[in-house]
Amino acid sequence: MSTFELNSTNATFDSKGYMVMSGLINSLSSVTDREIEIMLGEGTFNFGNGIFLSGHDVVIRGAGMDKTILIFTSTIDYKDDALFNFQGTADDEISVEFRDMTVKTNVVASMVSPSTSKLISSSSYLIKCYYVHSFVMRRVHIQIANLACTCIDIRKGSNIDIRQCKFENYNRRTVGGILWLRGDIENVHVIDNTFYKYGNDEAVAIWSTNNFVGVSVGDEFSKRNIHICHNRFYYGDDTSVLYGTSIKTNLWDGVVDRFIAIFTNQDDYTGDSTGDNTDDSTDDSTDNITYESTYESGNEDENEDACRHIVNGIHLDNNEFHINGAISHLVTVAFDKNTSFKDVNLNHNIIDYGTGWHTAGSASSWAELMDFCIYYDTNYCANEKNDSDAYIAYSDETFSIVGNTITCGSNVYNVLESTDASGNTTTYNQDNHIVLDYRGARVLFADNLVRCTRDEATSDEVDFANKGVIMLHSGFKSGEILFKHNHCEGLHALATITAFRYDKYVDNVIKTCRIDAEGNYLQGDTRILLQDVKEAHIIMRDSELHSEYPIFFLEEFADQGSAFFRGNLVCRESRLSGDLSKGYFIYTGSSASNVTSARFICEGNVFHNIAKTNVYPSLPSTVTCVHKNNIFKDTTE
């Protein structure tokens, strides 16, 4: 083993009193030993050059998180596109270890040079590792601001263990994440860390079909035994960490497309005018870096589609998320049709949106917050081809979303503008908060607490019901939800299932919708809205529905199917004045004639402030209704 020590007794100091590391870094290039250990003493180090090592097992050890400080300040000569760049090979994997230090990249405008400009305008990495059989990080603090830089990028790695660390990335632009794990990734434990983020790109991403530079048809990749647990995530700007306001900030639209992502195929970039997927233009409007919608599970390249993925044992559990800024998708899991998976868990997390947030802009730039997005085999949506793919059954395996707590102290909404024909502009608020968006997936959603404190309505019951959260949302693909023992307050709707996407309807897409709801407490707008669905099977049993909307169960229905409503307590409630007897079991509207065959059973329920005639509606002859053993209280009928 070659050991290098640098401390106040043997270091050279620069004009700022920082210890200079260039001599040590230059010495590394001549090391022939397999193992290299770098021991840094107490003090502040000027890390002027990047480190590139290939084929070495590396340990970098400081004297303590608050005692050893590495600062990237002057012109940075980093290797490839990383400051710490450690590479193994497929035949010779390496080990990497960081302990007890702080690394800061306080690059300001006066330090911009041909090398540092890439950190500011393009995609780069603080730590990048290829082919590692062990990566250990303990008590390390990484702080990045105003750079297009990701903290850690590991490609093809196993035995990754990160604990008791603090990560801050205030990139304030399109590019720059915190922890990215790509390609073959196995045996990961990211536990008891604190993440701070403001800017686009994922805080944690497990993704990509490639380990290094490409893939071949038939390649197989695995993502196994991955635990992201007991961490604390904070999203929001910290203006005390600016590192020079003269560097251009906010090089994106202000909304994070996805915060945590687990993909077996990464979406295509689109719209970059320079073709390099960077935000290098001085004019934001000409860069226009965007992702395809995360409704798709990924890149439509046929070679990548041909790659196989095996996903087994994903645990995003017992974390805290404290969100104080606009996020589109908080947690996204998207697998393509060539992915075999099991044991995917998003359980016992705490998600807190504080007093809510809002965005301002035009109707074309609004953000829709989704807490959980679960997508399986939705590639056909990306290219609007192969509608027959929608008939592929949804996943046999079940995604687990259990025991989470989601709170929002006020509405999450967009402040939008509309202009009439005379050119008059008005503003209005549009609530857009969906708890679970699922496509082609079977999901167990159980024992969750969702509590949204809604703003008071100003007019009637309908206005009040338009505020709050939509629990379940799905489109353009069949799916099944097991909705068990949840407590949900402040609903905008229980579920909206629609074939609508991108301003058009896709024929024959949602073949089957199944919702099995049992033992839930639901308060607010408790409707299930089905729009252009071919077949639906809905079960609602042993639940409490405290309805604040004229329709308490079904609005519209599928062409065929069944609905069972058994053993429920339904209370027609409103904080506003109105006829409390207006509680409708189902409203079919103009779509009633489309129902070719359906069976509704309403049995053993207790209804408060609801007229019997509304629960026993007149429906087309193609619908069979069975009503028995129901009790009506507090009604004039």
Side-chain angles (χ1 to χ4, degrees):
M1 174 187 290
S2 293
T3 300
F4 298 84
E5 294 188 38
L6 190 63
N7 52 52
S8 59
T9 62
N10 64 0
T12 301
F13 292 83
D14 64 13
S15 60
K16 294 183 178 180
Y18 297 163
M19 286 176 272
V20 178
M21 294 188 67
S22 57
L24 183 152
I25 293 171
N26 292 335
S27 299
L28 296 175
S29 60
S30 61
V31 173
T32 59
D33 289 342
R34 170 73 183 198
E35 299 179 0
I36 295 176
E37 182 179 37
I38 301 172
M39 301 179 64
L40 302 174
E42 186 172 346
T44 301
F45 297 80
N46 182 344
F47 204 99
N49 298 319
I51 295 178
F52 174 83
L53 291 171
S54 177
H56 293 280
D57 298 328
V58 183
V59 177
I60 303 179
R61 192 188 310 273
M65 182 186 289
D66 299 324
K67 295 181 178 180
T68 300
I69 313 296
L70 278 64
I71 296 181
F72 293 87
T73 54
S74 60
T75 300
I76 300 169
D77 179 18
Y78 63 94
K79 307 300 181 181
D80 189 10
D81 56 358
L83 299 175
F84 293 96
N85 194 333
F86 301 140
Q87 297 186 10
T89 65
D91 298 324
D92 185 17
E93 296 184 347
I94 63 172
S95 66
V96 176
E97 185 172 335
F98 289 84
R99 289 182 181 268
D100 301 300
M101 68 187 72
T102 289
V103 182
K104 296 182 178 182
T105 57
N106 56 344
V107 177
V108 298
S110 60
M111 300 172 186
V112 174
S113 67
S115 57
T116 57
S117 61
K118 186 171 184 180
L119 283 170
I120 294 168
S121 64
S122 185
S123 178
S124 58
Y125 308 93
L126 186 69
I127 299 171
K128 183 172 75 172
C129 300
Y130 294 150
Y131 297 106
V132 294
H133 64 76
S134 175
F135 181 94
V136 176
M137 181 172 281
R138 292 284 191 279
R139 297 174 298 277
V140 173
H141 177 195
I142 295 176
Q143 186 181 81
I144 296 174
N146 297 336
L147 304 179
C149 185
T150 295
C151 298
I152 303 172
D153 183 55
I154 298 176
R155 308 181 186 189
K156 178 61 172 69
S158 60
N159 304 310
I160 298 166
D161 199 313
I162 301 173
R163 301 173 192 252
Q164 298 174 304
C165 295
K166 179 180 179 180
F167 302 103
E168 298 178 87
N169 193 337
Y170 302 102
N171 59 310
R172 303 184 179 96
R173 61 197 63 227
T174 303
V175 179
I178 294 180
L179 175 62
W180 291 357
L181 306 175
R182 308 199 202 192
D184 282 304
I185 297 293
E186 298 189 5
N187 300 326
V188 175
H189 292 83
V190 179
I191 296 174
D192 189 25
N193 304 285
T194 305
F195 296 77
Y196 294 87
K197 186 79 169 68
Y198 186 69
N200 195 51
D201 250 349
E202 299 91 346
V204 175
I206 303 165
W207 60 286
S208 185
T209 55
N210 65 353
N211 289 330
F212 188 50
V213 294
V215 296
S216 301
V217 174
D219 281 358
E220 183 173 281
F221 300 89
S222 64
K223 294 169 174 56
R224 305 175 191 262
N225 191 30
I226 297 173
H227 299 260
I228 314 293
C229 303
H230 299 285
N231 301 287
R232 297 155 299 280
F233 294 88
Y234 296 87
Y235 181 79
D237 204 2
D238 184 349
T239 56
S240 68
V241 186
L242 283 174
Y243 295 157
T245 56
S246 55
I247 290 182
K248 191 177 183 183
T249 61
N250 291 314
L251 288 171
W252 100 108
D253 62 6
V255 180
V256 177
D257 52 12
R258 41 189 180 259
F259 191 68
I260 305 289
I262 303 169
F263 284 89
T264 55
N265 217 344
Q266 180 73 0
D267 290 343
D268 276 331
Y269 277 110
T270 60
D272 175 35
S273 59
T274 64
D276 59 0
N277 298 327
T278 65
D279 55 355
D280 48 8
S281 173
T282 56
D283 179 2
D284 292 344
S285 63
T286 62
D287 277 313
N288 190 29
I289 304 175
T290 61
Y291 283 104
E292 294 287 352
S293 167
T294 51
Y295 297 153
E296 301 108 43
S297 63
N299 192 317
E300 297 310 307
D301 180 86
E302 292 182 0
N303 288 338
E304 291 201 350
D305 281 347
C307 298
R308 301 288 303 174
H309 283 86
I310 299 174
V311 179
N312 188 350
I314 304 290
H315 297 270
L316 182 71
D317 299 338
N318 295 291
N319 300 286
E320 297 179 20
F321 296 89
H322 302 276
I323 308 301
N324 185 29
I327 284 181
S328 182
H329 300 152
L330 184 68
V331 179
T332 299
V333 179
F335 297 153
D336 63 24
K337 63 184 177 183
N338 296 306
T339 299
S340 300
F341 75 92
K342 63 180 179 179
D343 194 23
V344 177
N345 305 276
L346 313 174
N347 299 337
H348 305 293
N349 299 287
I350 296 173
I351 301 171
D352 178 20
Y353 293 101
T355 58
W357 52 264
H358 70 274
T359 63
S362 65
S364 62
S365 63
W366 61 294
E368 189 168 50
L369 169 63
M370 299 179 182
D371 300 321
F372 299 102
C373 302
I374 308 296
Y375 306 139
Y376 178 75
D377 184 21
T378 58
N379 279 2
Y380 76 96
C381 296
N383 52 24
E384 301 183 4
K385 297 189 296 186
N386 303 324
D387 284 350
S388 61
D389 286 355
Y391 284 95
I392 299 173
Y394 49 83
S395 60
D396 293 330
E397 292 290 337
T398 302
F399 297 87
S400 174
I401 302 177
V402 174
N404 300 283
T405 298
I406 302 171
T407 58
C408 187
S410 184
N411 291 41
V412 173
Y413 63 89
N414 297 275
V415 180
L416 304 179
E417 295 181 353
S418 63
T419 304
D420 61 21
S422 301
N424 300 313
T425 300
T426 58
T427 61
Y428 62 97
N429 295 348
Q430 173 67 58
D431 284 14
N432 290 283
H433 186 175
I434 294 170
V435 175
L436 171 60
D437 186 50
Y438 64 102
R439 318 284 168 93
R442 186 176 194 266
V443 181
L444 171 63
F445 192 93
D447 299 305
N448 298 288
L449 170 63
V450 178
R451 179 173 287 129
C452 175
T453 303
R454 301 178 301 180
D455 296 338
E456 294 290 342
T458 57
S459 55
D460 56 17
E461 296 163 329
V462 175
D463 181 61
F464 188 88
N466 284 335
K467 299 178 180 293
V469 297
I470 297 173
M471 286 301 305
L472 309 174
H473 180 270
S474 184
F476 17 109
K477 193 72 191 291
S478 299
E480 179 178 1
I481 294 293
L482 307 175
F483 192 79
K484 310 287 187 180
H485 308 291
N486 301 288
H487 184 108
C488 309
E489 299 180 14
L491 295 180
H492 180 169
L494 174 57
T496 58
I497 315 298
T498 176
F500 191 68
R501 78 173 293 272
Y502 300 159
D503 299 325
K504 78 168 200 172
Y505 285 90
V506 182
D507 291 337
N508 303 320
V509 172
I510 302 182
K511 183 181 180 183
T512 303
C513 164
R514 295 181 182 272
I515 299 175
D516 186 348
E518 178 182 8
N520 301 288
Y521 177 94
L522 307 173
Q523 182 269 327
D525 180 350
T526 60
R527 285 176 300 164
I528 297 174
L529 171 63
L530 303 173
Q531 193 171 34
D532 293 306
V533 176
K534 299 302 176 183
E535 182 178 344
H537 298 279
I538 310 295
I539 298 174
M540 178 71 71
R541 55 188 170 181
D542 302 323
S543 298
E544 284 190 40
L545 286 74
H546 296 263
S547 173
E548 295 173 340
Y549 191 79
I551 305 162
F552 65 80
F553 185 38
L554 297 175
E555 181 172 357
E556 313 293 355
F557 197 67
D559 293 357
Q560 60 184 3
S562 61
F564 295 85
F565 196 81
R566 286 192 172 116
N568 301 291
L569 170 65
V570 182
C571 299
R572 178 80 181 103
E573 297 181 351
S574 178
R575 303 179 206 180
L576 306 172
S577 61
D579 184 354
L580 296 183
S581 67
K582 290 181 180 177
Y584 293 94
F585 177 84
I586 183 171
Y587 173 78
T588 56
S590 60
S591 70
S593 59
N594 295 330
V595 180
T596 59
S597 176
R599 179 177 174 84
F600 297 159
I601 295 179
C602 180
E603 178 182 7
N605 304 285
V606 177
F607 297 96
H608 287 266
N609 297 320
I610 296 175
K612 184 183 295 186
T613 54
N614 292 333
V615 177
Y616 300 166
S618 175
L619 294 171
S621 59
T622 54
V623 178
T624 301
C625 296
V626 177
H627 305 281
K628 59 182 180 180
N629 301 327
N630 296 299
I631 299 173
F632 293 84
K633 296 183 177 181
D634 306 318
T635 180
T636 57
E637 294 186 338

